[in-house]
Every structure is written in C-alpha cells, then in structure tokens.
Amino acid sequence: MTTVIECHPLVAAKPEVPKSTTVNGVDTGKLSATIEAIKADTSLANFQFRLSNQWVGGGENRSRIDDFYGVGQEMRHKQPFFLVSDEPEVLLSEDRGPNAGEYVLHALASCLTGALVYHAAARGIAVKGIATRLEGDIDLQGFLGLSKDVRRGFKNIRVMFDIDADCDDSGKQELIEMAQAYSPVFDMLSNGLPVSCRLDDDVKKAETT
Amino acid sequence: MTTVIECHPLVAAKPEVPKSTTVNGVDTGKLSATIEAIKADTSLANFQFRLSNQWVGGGENRSRIDDFYGVGQEMRHKQPFFLVSDEPEVLLSEDRGPNAGEYVLHALASCLTGALVYHAAARGIAVKGIATRLEGDIDLQGFLGLSKDVRRGFKNIRVMFDIDADCDDSGKQELIEMAQAYSPVFDMLSNGLPVSCRLDDDVKKAETT
C-alpha cells in the first residue's frame, strides 16, 4: 500500500500534495489530493467501467475486464481480469463458476466494505478487520415465468457485518451506516437505475479466456 | 452438458422424465421436469444464495462462495469459488481484481445471457453465439460525498448484444426482450430491492484464499 504512483493524474493535478499517512491501507494524503482535484474540476470524477462477455454454452459465460475511462482519460487495468459464471447442476449446468446472483452478492460485499474502509480512512478511523456474510432469497418461479406475482430477482438481501475496530457497537453501527450511505452498489441495488439493452452487431468479441 | 445427474432432486420428484433434447447446452427434458416439479410443489423454487467476504486491506477484499439452499435442501457447489475485488491505482489501491462496479456489470451480462439461453431452449430456439459489451457511467462525486445531488451508483448501464442465431434482427430483438423479461439481475438493477445491513459479531470468518 506504500507504492508511489509517479504519474497519478489526480495528484499531478494538485501541486501541493498533503503529507501522506496510510489509514486502513488507504493513502489519506492521496485521498485528500483526489478530493481537492475533483473539487477544482468535477469532470475528473466521471468514470466509465466496461466489460465484454461471451456465452460458452448452457449456463456458462465468461467476461473480460480491461479498459475503463476516468480522470479525463482512457485507462487500463494493470492486467485484464477474467470472470466465469455458471449455474450449479441442480439448475441444469456444469457448476464451473458462481452464478449471477452470487456475483451480485460479491459486488455488494466488496462495495460496502470498500466504502466503509475509504470513508473511515478519510476520518482517521483505523479499522482492523471486516468480515461480512450475505444472503439473498429468490423464488425461481419468477425466473421460470411460472407466476407474474413473483419477482425475478432476489426478494431481499441481508448483510451481516463483523467489524474489528477500537470502538463500541454504537460506533461500529455508525461505520455500517456510513458504508450504506456511500456505497455505489448499495445505492444501485436499493434504488435501481436505468438499464438499456440493444442489438449491436458491431460488438467486438473479446478474448475471454 | 450431457452428464446424467443421478440424484437430481427435481427430476427425482417427477417419475416420468420427458425425453431429453439438448438445446443451447440446456437439457430441455430436465428443464421441463424442473418446471413440472415446481408447479407441483412451489416451495422447491425457494433458493438462498450466500457468500462470505473478508477485507484484505485498502480497496482489496475477497469472497468465498460455497453452500446454498434450494429444492428444499442444503446444497453445495462442486467446489468453493473465490473472488477478489480491488480498485485500480487511480482509485488508490493495488488493482488486484475488478472493482465492485465491474462485478455488477459481470453479474448483469451473465444473467441476461443465461436468461436468453434458457428461455430460448425452452422454446426450442437454437442460439449459436452471444457476445455482449456493457458500459456503466458513474460520477465519483457521489461516492466521495462531494455532492448530495449526485447519486452514488452508476447513472445508467448500457448493454449491447451481438447474437448469432437463425433469425432476423426482429427475432433477435425479441430474444433480447425475453432476456430482460426474465433476468433476475436485470430486475434487481432496474427496480431495486430491500437490502438490510446489521452488526453481527457471530459472522463466521471463512477462508477466502
């Protein structure tokens, strides 16, 4: 967590970088510089994340994650990431990866944890450990189209946090509330968002293995 | 896709299994048996998916996916799955995995693709290939708490489908509409759902590596 990023664009945008202190593995100097740079030019906060997916067969499909847009420029991950989805045998496939619902739970766990850690760091609150357990309930009559009264997705998701930090339960509860207040995925799942789908024969078929 | 699952509980629940034909890698005989079994006992359609996550440091955290509940019993994947999330350097971490937003895109791509494939199989429509490209736009002023007017999550998600099947664009458009109509993750992201978070010191810390 102490790697110096020579060309960090947000830090570069602000000549005077505050003295760095690492809290929760987050460089709070760079975090402050990021916030100041965005306050000075809000367009730097516009990011676009992207993904290419290919169907393999049955319930299996694979994604490649590589480039994204942020801080006013095209960017790229250190290396491409590959993700495999599948369904278990009871749902008629080969069980070669987690299913889409389990990926939703992972996205939510990651995002709540990240939001908690970053916002605690910004406030100088040291967190020693976070473990979460998530459960999502779904009635597959919805997916199968057997009932119009049953929704397709999870009916609800429960997140249980075990937090190791030098504060009492009331303080830990505040950390959880902070995570909920700032987590992008918590917002998306709680409030929904516009999702548009269209046919486009020009989709570039990316290598997904 | 031709593995015979000796103890498939949904098939076992129906003595007369229709003759199997594989369409799109989905055994349509087992799919019909599944649907009939659920019609006879709707409680079989209740599934619960689960996940344990642990914070590693900075933006990095890891999940373990192993057991789930379905068809009236506790079940387990063939093997546990592990997922790593992180943030890229520009977002102040080490870029050891996709971030939570990218996992949301993967969950959506997987789910739309799976819904299209299974529902096409149920209708006897052979699909030869599906490639999707997804984009999600986010203004990080929301996550950083710099503006109350900016939402935390993606403002919108666009999904572009390239479908290889023996039908014209109008038929492919119908396949996309079918995917949207039945995809659990499309439903969750479009409409939102109740997500509850609470402190629970009894969260079992699972091995996540």
Side-chain angles (χ1 to χ4, degrees):
Chain A
M1 299 297 162
T2 54
T3 311
V4 175
I5 306 162
E6 296 290 351
C7 58
H8 189 287
L10 288 171
V11 173
K14 188 176 188 297
E16 291 177 44
V17 179
K19 200 178 168 193
S20 286
T21 308
T22 298
V23 181
N24 305 335
V26 178
D27 185 322
T28 54
K30 282 185 186 158
L31 184 55
S32 298
T34 299
I35 290 168
E36 292 307 316
I38 288 174
K39 279 183 182 170
D41 178 0
T42 56
S43 76
L44 295 174
N46 290 324
F47 276 64
Q48 182 183 89
F49 293 105
R50 303 160 182 162
L51 172 146
S52 298
N53 182 278
Q54 285 223 50
W55 176 50
V56 177
E60 186 181 355
N61 59 73
R62 292 167 184 261
S63 289
R64 178 192 175 101
I65 295 159
D66 196 352
D67 57 304
F68 60 98
Y69 177 88
V71 294
Q73 59 194 272
E74 286 296 320
M75 307 203 82
R76 196 169 282 278
H77 283 290
K78 274 186 187 173
Q79 68 284 314
F81 299 116
F82 301 98
L83 300 174
V84 178
S85 277
D86 202 2
E87 294 291 347
E89 290 181 344
V90 72
L91 296 175
L92 311 179
S93 199
E94 302 286 326
D95 209 11
R96 295 207 173 97
N99 70 14
E102 290 165 329
Y103 274 107
V104 165
L105 297 182
H106 174 71
L108 179 61
S110 293
C111 198
L112 285 165
T113 299
L116 193 160
V117 164
Y118 276 58
H119 279 271
R123 288 159 180 75
I125 303 166
V127 177
K128 296 175 197 166
I130 306 171
T132 55
R133 170 87 178 157
L134 283 80
E135 297 170 352
D137 300 319
I138 187 165
D139 180 343
L140 291 183
Q141 289 183 89
F143 169 72
L144 292 167
L146 298 179
S147 169
K148 286 188 179 174
D149 300 328
V150 175
R151 74 173 298 169
R152 278 59 173 133
F154 285 136
K155 289 183 279 190
N156 47 63
I157 297 175
R158 289 174 296 283
V159 187
M160 285 71 79
F161 283 84
D162 185 349
I163 299 171
D164 184 4
D166 287 330
C167 58
D168 60 12
D169 280 2
S170 163
K172 291 176 184 177
Q173 192 58 48
E174 282 179 31
L175 290 174
I176 293 172
E177 282 162 21
M178 199 168 63
Q180 292 175 265
Y182 294 108
S183 161
V185 178
F186 181 83
D187 166 30
M188 289 188 260
L189 289 174
S190 298
N191 301 312
L193 75 152
V195 181
S196 65
C197 298
R198 67 181 170 85
L199 191 63
D200 182 350
D201 289 340
D202 293 329
V203 170
K204 192 180 144 214
K205 290 182 184 69
E207 292 298 321
T208 54
T209 49
Chain B
M1 297 296 161
T2 55
T3 311
V4 176
I5 307 161
E6 296 291 351
C7 57
H8 190 286
L10 288 170
V11 174
K14 187 174 188 298
E16 292 177 46
V17 179
K19 199 179 169 192
S20 285
T21 308
T22 298
V23 181
N24 305 334
V26 178
D27 184 324
T28 54
K30 282 187 187 157
L31 184 55
S32 298
T34 299
I35 289 167
E36 292 307 317
I38 287 174
K39 279 182 181 169
D41 178 359
T42 56
S43 76
L44 295 174
N46 291 323
F47 276 65
Q48 182 182 90
F49 294 105
R50 304 160 182 162
L51 172 146
S52 298
N53 181 278
Q54 285 223 48
W55 176 50
V56 177
E60 187 181 354
N61 59 74
R62 292 167 184 262
S63 289
R64 179 192 175 101
I65 295 159
D66 196 352
D67 57 304
F68 59 99
Y69 177 88
V71 293
Q73 61 194 272
E74 286 296 320
M75 307 205 81
R76 196 168 282 278
H77 284 289
K78 275 186 186 173
Q79 68 283 314
F81 299 116
F82 301 96
L83 300 174
V84 178
S85 276
D86 202 1
E87 295 291 347
E89 289 181 345
V90 71
L91 296 175
L92 311 180
S93 198
E94 303 285 326
D95 208 12
R96 295 206 174 98
N99 70 15
E102 291 165 328
Y103 274 107
V104 165
L105 298 182
H106 174 70
L108 179 61
S110 295
C111 198
L112 285 165
T113 299
L116 193 161
V117 164
Y118 276 58
H119 280 271
R123 288 158 181 74
I125 303 166
V127 177
K128 297 174 194 166
I130 307 170
T132 54
R133 169 88 179 158
L134 284 79
E135 298 170 350
D137 300 318
I138 187 165
D139 180 342
L140 290 183
Q141 290 182 88
F143 169 71
L144 291 167
L146 298 180
S147 168
K148 285 188 177 173
D149 300 328
V150 175
R151 74 175 298 170
R152 277 59 174 135
F154 285 136
K155 289 183 279 189
N156 48 64
I157 297 175
R158 288 174 297 283
V159 187
M160 284 73 77
F161 283 83
D162 184 350
I163 299 172
D164 184 5
D166 288 330
C167 58
D168 60 11
D169 281 2
S170 164
K172 291 177 185 176
Q173 191 59 47
E174 282 179 31
L175 291 173
I176 293 172
E177 281 161 22
M178 198 167 64
Q180 291 176 263
Y182 294 108
S183 161
V185 178
F186 181 83
D187 166 29
M188 288 189 259
L189 289 174
S190 298
N191 301 313
L193 73 152
V195 180
S196 65
C197 298
R198 67 179 170 86
L199 192 63
D200 183 350
D201 289 340
D202 293 331
V203 171
K204 194 180 144 214
K205 289 180 187 67
E207 291 298 319
T208 54
T209 50

